[in-house]
Amino acid sequence: MTMIVVCTRGIIGGVDHAALPETCCPSERATIWIWPGQAAYLGPSLTLDPHSGSVHCVALGLDAPFTLSDSQGERTVRSALIPARTRHQVVSDGGRMLFLYLEPGLTDDRIRTALDTLLADPLLSAPQVAAEINLSTSRFLHLFSDAAGTSFRRYRLWARMLRVAAAVSKGADLTSASAEAGFASPSHFSDTFRDMFGLTASALLAQRTRIVVLDPGSNGAPAA
């Protein structure tokens, strides 16, 4: 059974008692940061449908608790670690939310190479990536799921979403960006985005959300 871990104190000490200062995280505009394999959203709470992420996600209510629903029921929390492929819903009545999408923690160098290969080219198939690390496709898919905590198919969708975000940050429209990332059609992209995040990409961008691509080698500075 997959369980959501509620972290009332484990993310930021005492966060269940005091909000972060307003000067830390301006609330007037949402921001998405992306860097290899990971992403973060900080901004006003969103109206989210039930959804299931491709990677583990930390959800944190910066100004107030939020309601978290999953197969185990409904509870009010300040923060939670939500495993990949866990259907859930986050409902916040207001204030800022932080969603941090995490890179899988890996001890198998072969799967680390596979993730890096997918991030570099999310159009690759499972047999193509398996060949890169000298494994049969069936063995590779089994190892990938065990090591990464998500399936190859779901992680490839995540890699494609990151590719779309990077293109949009440079001025591309969603239709062309999603096609170049490997989505079969605009509706395929829209349906996948909603299932992964609980809203459509167009609804997210309508909030004047800005996307910042971080350079992994420059200590958090935006990429040139």
Side-chain angles (χ1 to χ4, degrees):
M1 178 185 300
T2 301
M3 297 184 65
I4 292 177
V5 179
V6 175
C7 324
T8 55
R9 287 184 174 274
I11 307 298
I12 299 177
V15 75
D16 49 329
H17 294 297
L20 295 179
E22 187 67 26
T23 53
C24 165
C25 314
S27 61
E28 66 273 8
R29 188 178 184 187
T31 301
I32 295 171
W33 293 271
I34 62 171
W35 60 104
Q38 302 183 74
Y41 167 91
L42 174 61
S45 59
L46 302 165
T47 302
L48 302 177
D49 294 330
H51 58 284
S52 173
S54 289
V55 296
H56 299 338
C57 175
V58 173
L60 177 63
L62 296 182
D63 300 311
F66 57 91
T67 300
L68 179 65
S69 302
D70 66 351
S71 62
Q72 305 303 306
E74 181 179 291
R75 60 266 200 206
T76 300
V77 299
R78 197 58 186 266
S79 59
L81 173 60
I82 304 166
R85 298 183 292 177
T86 301
R87 193 155 185 83
H88 66 283
Q89 185 174 21
V90 171
V91 178
S92 175
D93 293 330
R96 297 163 297 166
M97 289 292 301
L98 172 67
F99 295 102
L100 177 61
Y101 300 91
L102 304 173
E103 176 82 337
L106 299 173
T107 57
D108 191 322
D109 289 341
R110 296 169 298 179
I111 303 305
R112 173 73 270 166
T113 298
L115 263 64
D116 291 342
T117 300
L118 263 184
L119 291 171
D121 186 356
L123 299 180
L124 293 175
S125 66
Q128 288 174 315
V129 178
E132 289 285 332
I133 55 176
N134 300 313
L135 290 174
S136 69
T137 301
S138 59
R139 178 60 175 160
F140 165 65
L141 291 175
H142 178 76
L143 286 177
F144 190 100
S145 181
D146 282 352
T150 190
S151 68
F152 173 87
R153 184 184 70 84
R154 292 299 300 267
Y155 193 84
R156 185 172 64 174
L157 288 174
W158 172 244
R160 290 179 177 182
M161 288 297 178
L162 293 175
R163 181 65 62 90
V164 172
V168 171
S169 75
K170 298 176 181 177
D173 61 83
L174 286 174
T175 298
S176 60
S178 60
E180 290 180 6
F183 291 95
S185 66
S187 61
H188 177 216
F189 167 72
S190 182
D191 291 346
T192 301
F193 194 98
R194 181 189 286 274
D195 185 63
M196 193 180 293
F197 300 109
L199 78 171
T200 64
S202 57
L204 177 61
L205 295 178
Q207 307 294 321
R208 296 196 313 118
T209 303
R210 67 184 182 121
I211 301 174
V212 179
V213 180
L214 299 179
D215 184 342
S218 60
N219 197 27

